Amino acid sequence: MELLLLVLLAWIRAGTGQMIRPVAVPHEEMLHKPRHPVSQLLDKLLLKYDRRLRPHYGGPPVVVNVTMNIDSVGPISEVDMNFRIDISFRQYWVDKRLVFNETEEITELNVNSNFLGNIWQPDTYF
């Protein structure tokens, strides 16, 4: 059975405009040391992966789904005509280059935000 790794993009804090995009790139010498099976799988997936190219490059466009939740609003200044808003912004898409075969040890693959720097992400702007 093949599983797809769904990719989630981190939060944006409105007001600062900062987006968290951590980078963690495996070194070549790390690929040859005995490692946990999940680490080995992630290294194998990224070995020939080019994050500069979008999924389906040369083919149909990538469908990127978006959700946005308002976490808080305030304070509001009528005098300065500004306010502060905190939002959670989520993007998700399917990248078939990250498909892996299920094993006895690995039936599901969850990664943290450190992994995001290794994969393609849409260019988002407001």
Side-chain angles (χ1 to χ4, degrees):
M1 173 186 279
E2 292 183 342
L3 298 178
L4 294 178
L5 176 67
L6 295 179
V7 182
L8 305 179
L9 190 57
W11 316 121
I12 295 178
R13 177 174 274 253
T16 64
Q18 295 176 330
M19 184 181 305
I20 300 171
R21 288 191 181 199
V23 176
V25 180
H27 298 289
E28 282 295 323
E29 64 269 7
M30 292 175 64
L31 298 176
H32 305 293
K33 291 183 180 178
R35 300 185 59 173
H36 191 279
V38 172
S39 296
Q40 291 176 354
L41 174 62
L42 291 174
D43 290 342
K44 184 178 175 184
L45 287 174
L46 296 176
L47 197 57
K48 295 181 181 179
Y49 186 94
D50 188 347
R51 70 185 191 108
R52 298 170 297 174
L53 299 176
R54 69 172 176 84
H56 318 296
Y57 181 76
V62 178
V63 176
V64 178
N65 300 289
V66 175
T67 60
M68 189 179 300
N69 297 314
I70 297 174
D71 296 329
S72 67
V73 177
I76 299 172
S77 172
E78 294 177 17
V79 173
D80 296 330
M81 296 181 59
N82 65 22
F83 65 95
R84 179 186 170 105
I85 184 171
D86 291 329
I87 61 171
S88 297
F89 180 75
R90 179 180 179 224
Q91 299 180 121
Y92 54 102
W93 61 92
V94 176
D95 188 339
K96 291 187 178 184
R97 298 174 295 175
L98 297 173
V99 170
F100 69 96
N101 292 322
E102 186 176 315
T103 67
E104 285 184 20
E105 293 178 338
I106 306 171
T107 58
E108 184 177 279
L109 187 58
N110 296 310
V111 296
N112 65 24
S113 62
N114 292 331
F115 189 73
L116 290 176
N118 298 315
I119 60 174
W120 175 86
Q121 298 174 40
D123 293 329
T124 304
Y125 58 93
F126 293 87

